[in-house]
């Protein structure tokens, strides 16, 4: 029996669909050049309007046909050599494309395997976010802003080829840099992309993450029923109505907090989160009315607190709020918890104001696609220059 290689690309639905496809396809085409058969496929079971929801592509490669066939005889790999996260906020965990409950980003990464992340952040920041594993693994970073595009526009900022260069570095038995470069030239027909892949290869470094490092939270677990344990019919309880907002600090009750699904953690869809300035809020109710996920809890004093377990980060509240800088979308990487902002504001008004000012500094560099004419022409050369591709 030969050797089987598996790579998963975890990406954000819609925004990074083409990027993930380019990477998994590129891995398989490069492996083919070295005589290794492979297959690239996607797992995306959610409705496409859930923009940003974590989804996966896989590249499965083997040293011979028979091993590949054997490897493909299952729905998807149980463990992978490389987990690629093309958005660093995915390190907080993924509510998967098939509603398995919150899963660690590195769940499938095999002992000694690599988690490869596109990020501007230092390894320590990413290690702290990813859940602990029983075994050590490697962390590699492709330096740069995570690449998001829209439904119809692909942001061709060389992230795909830079990731391919990094894959050749961390697992040369899978694909060599030469094979990656030949593939890029044949497929993309752009020598500049070949240079970008080579730069990324040179710059990619890995560090070992030990079992004691990382987020200690216990990931969601479930046990599938055996067929003889199943009932003849299944009833699924609906979400209850909700009730008053209860302030755990003061015991104050009032307002309204809807009941939410305790298992489906929509926050993993988010790459930005709203930060609310409760001092300037005029209680117009627009954010509460327009939020597509009913995320706002109405507080006892009539303010609107975006619930961070439920918010998917769409940015509608920022768009509809009539008060300047009252709701600001901020890079999700700047946060470590999902605590209530209103509770923080109630407890320490001045401290909250300082916190808010510090957080809203981090708003400009995350954008889901392009929002004005000429943004593509402005942004892509800047990203390429920072990455050393130009
Ligand atoms: S970003 Fe705002 S509107 Fe969108 S889900 Fe979150 S709270 Fe609701
Ligand atoms: S839209 Fe803005 S001003 Fe209106 S209630 Fe929401 S946060 Fe307050």
């Amino acid at each position: 029996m030969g050797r089987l290689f598996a790579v998963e690309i975890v990406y954000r639905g819609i925004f990074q669909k083409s990027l993930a496809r380019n990477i998994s396809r590129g891995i398989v085409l490069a492996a083919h050049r070295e005589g290794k058969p492979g297959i690239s496929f996607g797992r995306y079971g959610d409705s496409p309007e859930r923009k940003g929801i974590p989804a996966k592509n896989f590249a499965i490669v083997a040293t011979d046909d028979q091993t590949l066939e054997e490897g493909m005889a299952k729905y998807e790999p149980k463990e992978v050599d490389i987990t690629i996260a093309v958005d660093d906020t995915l390190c907080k965990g993924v509510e998967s494309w098939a509603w398995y409950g919150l899963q660690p980003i590195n769940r499938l990464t095999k002992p000694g395997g690599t988690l490869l992340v596109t990020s501007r952040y230092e390894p320590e920041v990413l290690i702290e976010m990813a859940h602990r594993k029983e075994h050590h693994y490697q962390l590699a970073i492709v330096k740069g802003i995570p690449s998001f595009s829209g439904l119809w526009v692909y942001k061709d900022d060389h992230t795909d080829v830079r990731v391919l260069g990094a894959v050749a570095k961390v697992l040369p038995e899978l694909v060599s840099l030469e094979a990656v470069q030949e593939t890029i030239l044949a497929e993309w027909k752009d020598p500049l992309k070949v240079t970008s892949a080579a730069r990324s290869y040179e710059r990619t470094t890995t560090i070992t993450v030990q079992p004691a490092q990382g987020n200690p939270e216990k990931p969601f677990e479930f046990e599938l029923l055996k067929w003889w344990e199943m009932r003849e019919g299944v009833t699924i309880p609906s979400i209850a109505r909700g009730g008053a907002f209860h302030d755990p600090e003061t015991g104050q009750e009032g307002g309204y907090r809807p009941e939410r699904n305790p298992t489906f953690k929509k926050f993993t869809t988010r790459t930005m989160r709203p930060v609310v300035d409760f001092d300037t809020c005029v209680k117009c109710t627009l954010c509460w009315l327009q939020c597509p996920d009913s995320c706002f809890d109405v507080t006892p004093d009539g303010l609107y607190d975006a619930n961070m377990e439920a918010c998917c980060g769409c940015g509608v509240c920022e768009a509809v709020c009539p008060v300047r800088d009252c709701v600001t979308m901020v890079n999700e990487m700047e946060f470590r918890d999902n605590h209530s902002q209103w509770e923080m504001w109630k407890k320490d008004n001045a401290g909250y104001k300082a916190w808010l000012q510090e957080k809203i500094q981090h708003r400009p560099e995350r954008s889901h696609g392009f929002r004005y004419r000429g943004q593509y022409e402005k942004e892509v050369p800047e990203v390429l220059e920072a990455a050393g591709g130009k």
Side-chain angles (χ1 to χ4, degrees):
M1 165 120 174
R3 180 162 177 197
L4 190 76
F5 302 93
V7 179
E8 62 172 346
I9 298 106
V10 192
Y11 69 95
R12 296 222 170 262
I14 305 292
F15 306 130
Q16 298 185 309
K17 193 168 186 282
S18 304
L19 173 65
R21 185 206 53 212
N22 285 1
I23 295 168
S24 57
R25 190 166 172 272
I27 291 170
V28 170
L29 291 175
H32 272 190
R33 288 188 171 265
E34 296 181 321
K36 295 189 282 277
I39 188 158
S40 151
F41 59 97
R43 286 270 175 268
Y44 188 35
D46 200 2
S47 53
E49 76 270 17
R50 299 289 298 169
K51 292 180 181 173
I53 201 147
K56 293 193 183 192
N57 259 36
F58 291 93
I60 311 293
V61 169
T63 46
D64 59 273
D65 287 339
Q66 202 185 341
T67 307
L68 181 65
E69 273 173 34
E70 212 173 314
M72 291 307 299
K74 43 179 115 61
Y75 178 67
E76 62 185 39
K78 290 271 178 287
E79 59 174 23
V80 297
D81 297 271
I82 308 176
T83 298
I84 298 171
V86 276
D87 171 31
D88 45 14
T89 57
L90 289 163
C91 289
K92 293 189 175 192
V94 298
E95 172 64 60
S96 87
W97 63 108
W99 295 314
Y100 288 167
L102 183 86
Q103 297 290 322
I105 183 67
N106 51 18
R107 188 172 78 93
L108 297 188
T109 318
K110 62 165 64 164
T114 302
L115 171 62
L116 177 64
V117 187
T118 313
S119 183
R120 275 191 309 115
Y121 287 79
E122 294 303 319
E124 298 69 39
V125 179
L126 303 177
I127 291 171
E128 194 193 330
M129 292 194 312
H131 288 77
R132 286 181 189 180
K133 279 186 81 74
E134 279 179 17
H135 305 280
H136 79 277
Y137 65 95
Q138 306 296 320
L139 173 70
I141 299 176
V142 172
K143 278 274 175 204
I145 299 167
S147 178
F148 294 110
S149 58
L151 181 54
W152 307 114
V153 183
Y154 178 57
K155 189 176 179 182
D156 197 3
D157 57 5
H158 293 202
T159 298
D160 44 10
V161 294
R162 296 177 65 226
V163 169
L164 290 174
V167 167
K169 180 70 169 282
V170 301
L171 194 58
E173 306 93 302
L174 170 63
V175 282
S176 68
L177 178 63
E178 292 70 34
V180 163
Q181 289 178 305
E182 284 168 24
T183 304
I184 292 169
L185 209 51
E187 289 293 313
W188 282 276
K189 303 183 179 23
D190 181 354
L192 191 58
K193 291 195 171 192
V194 177
T195 310
S196 287
R199 290 260 162 81
S200 174
Y201 178 92
E202 284 160 24
R203 291 177 182 181
T204 301
T205 52
T206 56
I207 64 165
T208 303
V209 185
Q210 300 296 345
Q213 293 179 283
N215 178 357
E217 178 192 64
K218 197 172 179 312
F220 178 77
E221 273 180 2
F222 64 94
E223 188 116 0
L224 284 176
L225 293 175
K226 310 287 179 303
W227 69 265
W228 63 85
E229 293 169 336
M230 290 179 188
R231 287 171 288 161
E232 282 179 13
V234 176
T235 50
I236 300 171
S238 61
I239 302 287
R241 240 178 89 189
F245 189 108
H246 177 84
D247 181 351
E249 283 292 321
T250 60
Q252 196 184 1
E253 287 225 342
Y256 180 70
R257 174 179 264 170
E259 206 60 54
R260 299 187 172 98
N261 187 324
T263 313
F264 182 40
K265 298 294 181 191
K266 278 182 291 181
F267 73 83
T268 69
T269 298
R270 187 168 71 216
T271 69
M272 297 184 279
R273 73 165 65 177
V275 174
V276 180
D277 188 343
F278 299 101
D279 287 316
T280 59
C281 170
V282 295
K283 304 184 179 178
C284 73
T285 75
L286 281 174
C287 56
W288 177 69
L289 285 170
Q290 299 296 328
C291 172
D293 283 294
S294 308
C295 293
F296 283 90
D297 294 333
V298 186
T299 67
D301 48 2
L303 288 161
Y304 297 88
D305 187 25
N307 186 293
M308 287 300 129
E309 289 283 327
C311 165
C312 65
C314 69
V316 166
C317 50
E318 182 192 52
V320 297
C321 180
V323 181
R324 191 184 171 84
D325 289 345
C326 178
V327 179
T328 308
M329 297 305 288
V330 173
N331 184 350
E332 179 62 25
M333 286 295 287
E334 297 301 320
F335 304 91
R336 295 291 168 267
D337 59 52
N338 286 330
H339 296 164
S340 159
Q341 293 173 10
W342 178 78
E343 283 171 19
M344 217 192 312
W345 173 78
K346 282 290 274 187
K347 225 160 113 183
D348 175 10
N349 195 292
Y352 183 78
K353 199 87 188 161
W355 178 86
L356 180 134
Q357 288 306 327
E358 193 264 316
K359 291 298 175 199
I360 64 177
Q361 303 306 315
H362 302 281
R363 56 180 143 178
E365 101 282 7
R366 288 182 96 80
S367 155
H368 296 157
F370 300 99
R371 289 179 289 190
Y372 57 86
R373 255 177 219 283
Q375 191 181 355
Y376 185 97
E377 289 76 7
K378 180 178 176 295
E379 258 184 27
V380 171
E382 284 172 8
V383 174
L384 285 182
E385 201 170 341
K390 215 172 188 179

